[in-house]
Amino acid sequence: MPFAHTGTDAVRAGGSVVVYLSVSLRSRLRAHAAATGRSHTQLVFDALNATHDRLGDLVAVSGPAAVADGIFVAQRTGRRQHSEDQVQVSIRPNPANLAVIDSLATRHTAGNRSALIATALDEFLPAVSKGVPA
């Protein structure tokens, strides 16, 4: 699924950007937001800051493995398969920060903003739950 896009005018006006996270990851995000007093947007930034130098490796590990289909590598369908239901989560980055997120998404997840953010949060949030400050 390509990244959710609400348009730059909405972001310029302080609008929300929707990303899709698994139900369990959204629960962890909510719990950490409540425990730390940080917004979802701030926690996304924290996660991306903490993982940006490893995102290529993290995305490769979390992505589906290539499967051989005879002499061909099986092509993925246009729809991404998820092991868990996905839900919408809104963040409010300013245009400059959204451009950074989209640049990282283009580099590491073929433009899938949700996949990038989910990967970073999944790696980052367990460290917070073990008492490591964000």
Side-chain angles (χ1 to χ4, degrees), residues 21-57:
L21 303 177
S22 66
V23 173
S24 62
L25 185 56
R26 180 192 58 183
S27 294
R28 290 166 48 206
L29 178 64
R30 284 180 170 174
H32 291 292
T36 63
R38 296 182 66 72
S39 70
H40 291 170
T41 303
Q42 290 170 319
L43 288 172
V44 166
F45 292 164
D46 291 346
L48 289 169
N49 275 325
T51 61
H52 73 86
D53 58 341
R54 300 177 290 134
L55 281 171
D57 293 334

Side-chain angles (χ1 to χ4, degrees), residues 77-99:
T77 64
R79 186 158 191 245
R80 196 163 176 210
Q81 299 296 317
H82 299 283
S83 60
E84 190 177 340
D85 287 342
Q86 302 290 294
V87 291
Q88 295 181 358
V89 174
S90 295
I91 60 172
R92 292 179 169 267
N94 66 34
N97 288 334
L98 183 60

Side-chain angles (χ1 to χ4, degrees), residues 42-131:
Q42 290 170 319
L43 288 172
V44 166
F45 292 164
D46 291 346
L48 289 169
N49 275 325
T51 61
H52 73 86
D53 58 341
R54 300 177 290 134
L55 281 171
D57 293 334
L58 293 171
V59 167
V61 169
S62 68
V67 177
D69 183 17
I71 62 171
F72 299 99
V73 174
Q75 289 182 210
R76 290 194 302 166
T77 64
R79 186 158 191 245
R80 196 163 176 210
Q81 299 296 317
H82 299 283
S83 60
E84 190 177 340
D85 287 342
Q86 302 290 294
V87 291
Q88 295 181 358
V89 174
S90 295
I91 60 172
R92 292 179 169 267
N94 66 34
N97 288 334
L98 183 60
V100 171
I101 292 170
D102 286 345
S103 173
L104 289 169
T106 298
R107 189 175 328 140
H108 297 294
T109 62
N112 189 325
R113 188 185 292 157
S114 294
L116 176 84
I117 290 172
T119 299
L121 284 171
D122 190 44
E123 178 69 12
F124 177 74
L125 290 177
V128 174
S129 68
K130 294 176 187 167

